[in-house]
Amino acid sequence: MIALTISDLTDANTACKRIAELTRRSATSGTPDAICIRNDSFSEEQFSSLAQLVGELWEGPVVIESDYPTNVSKALLHLMDRKPLIVGANRNNLEQFSTISKLFRCPMCISCEDMEELFDLVQQANGFGATDIVLDPMMRNMKQCLESSTDLKRLSEKIREADHPIAVRTWSGEYAMTMAMVSLLVGDAIVIADDLDGDSCETIGELLKSIR
């Protein structure tokens, strides 16, 4: 899955245009599959308002990204039937996010740079009642992306905590497209990018057709 991002710092008019553009790209190239709503404002109200707008105008999958459990809960009220992927769980807020994931029956992404600790957090999240989990080993460059994706794919055959989808958070431009393609080839990851241009969407769309 490829998700492209809309920040909640974006005004409503610009956000509507962005959603329309991503809808057009998705229809023509199959990419993006999803929209990620990111809580850059740290505001509960702005995040919730953008979630409502995306829920009304976008028909595909949704990702919501925030470090703040209360903001996530408020945004989810507008997307309850969409079961969005929640991004933002870490060692500091794991219990709150696990509770939200269980309550709203939404998948939850856990982020941690240390692989062993990431697996420990998965165990803890299971104990809190969260079962639909995505792993984010916080890959920040191409080398980490290739190594971590490959390691997790191998470990998934031996360790239960590693047997989950992988999320890759990246930026914009050609580097982001390359990271996305590497991740998809290694393990059909969930790629969340700031943005990709139309040509990149078409290229990734063709790749996805060949591997799905």
Side-chain angles (χ1 to χ4, degrees), residues 2-205:
I2 303 288
L4 298 185
T5 302
I6 304 177
S7 168
D8 68 352
L9 291 173
T10 307
D11 65 79
N13 185 51
T14 304
C16 287
K17 292 179 180 177
R18 170 77 166 156
I19 296 166
E21 171 61 19
L22 296 183
T23 300
R24 184 191 65 78
R25 290 190 204 173
S26 181
T28 56
S29 68
T31 303
D33 305 278
I35 285 179
C36 175
I37 307 164
R38 192 170 65 206
N39 188 204
D40 291 330
S41 71
F42 311 122
S43 163
E44 182 179 303
E45 292 303 323
Q46 286 180 232
F47 194 46
S48 176
S49 294
L50 181 57
Q52 182 176 10
L53 186 64
V54 170
E56 291 171 352
L57 299 180
W58 171 259
E59 296 182 356
V62 178
V63 178
I64 59 173
E65 183 178 4
S66 175
D67 293 335
Y68 299 95
T70 54
N71 294 9
V72 169
S73 295
K74 185 79 176 284
L76 281 172
L77 294 176
H78 301 293
L79 299 164
M80 291 178 65
D81 60 333
R82 308 288 284 274
K83 300 292 187 287
L85 170 63
I86 304 166
V87 176
N90 55 54
R91 66 176 68 89
N92 299 316
N93 58 24
L94 186 68
E95 184 172 2
Q96 298 98 311
F97 269 82
S98 297
T99 301
I100 292 168
S101 175
K102 179 182 178 182
L103 178 64
F104 288 93
R105 298 181 181 178
C106 294
M108 175 181 75
C109 181
I110 302 175
S111 301
C112 184
E113 292 185 71
D114 182 84
M115 201 75 77
E116 289 188 15
E117 184 179 358
L118 180 59
F119 297 155
D120 287 341
L121 293 175
V122 171
Q123 285 187 328
Q124 291 178 44
N126 290 157
F128 293 135
T131 56
D132 195 351
I133 291 172
V134 174
L135 306 178
D136 172 20
M138 302 180 72
M139 301 171 277
R140 298 302 181 230
N141 55 54
M142 190 65 65
K143 182 174 182 292
Q144 289 180 354
C145 180
L146 181 58
E147 291 178 349
S148 295
S149 297
T150 303
D151 288 346
L152 282 168
K153 187 177 179 68
R154 290 173 179 167
L155 287 169
S156 68
E157 300 173 2
K158 302 175 182 178
I159 302 173
R160 184 179 62 183
E161 289 78 15
D163 190 18
H164 295 281
I166 302 169
V168 178
R169 193 71 177 85
T170 186
W171 302 275
S172 304
E174 292 184 5
Y175 195 83
M177 183 187 74
T178 306
M179 280 190 69
M181 294 180 73
V182 167
S183 306
L184 292 166
L185 285 169
V186 172
D188 197 16
I190 298 168
V191 179
I192 305 169
D194 288 348
D195 197 15
L196 295 168
D197 61 25
D199 289 342
S200 296
C201 287
E202 290 182 10
T203 300
I204 292 174

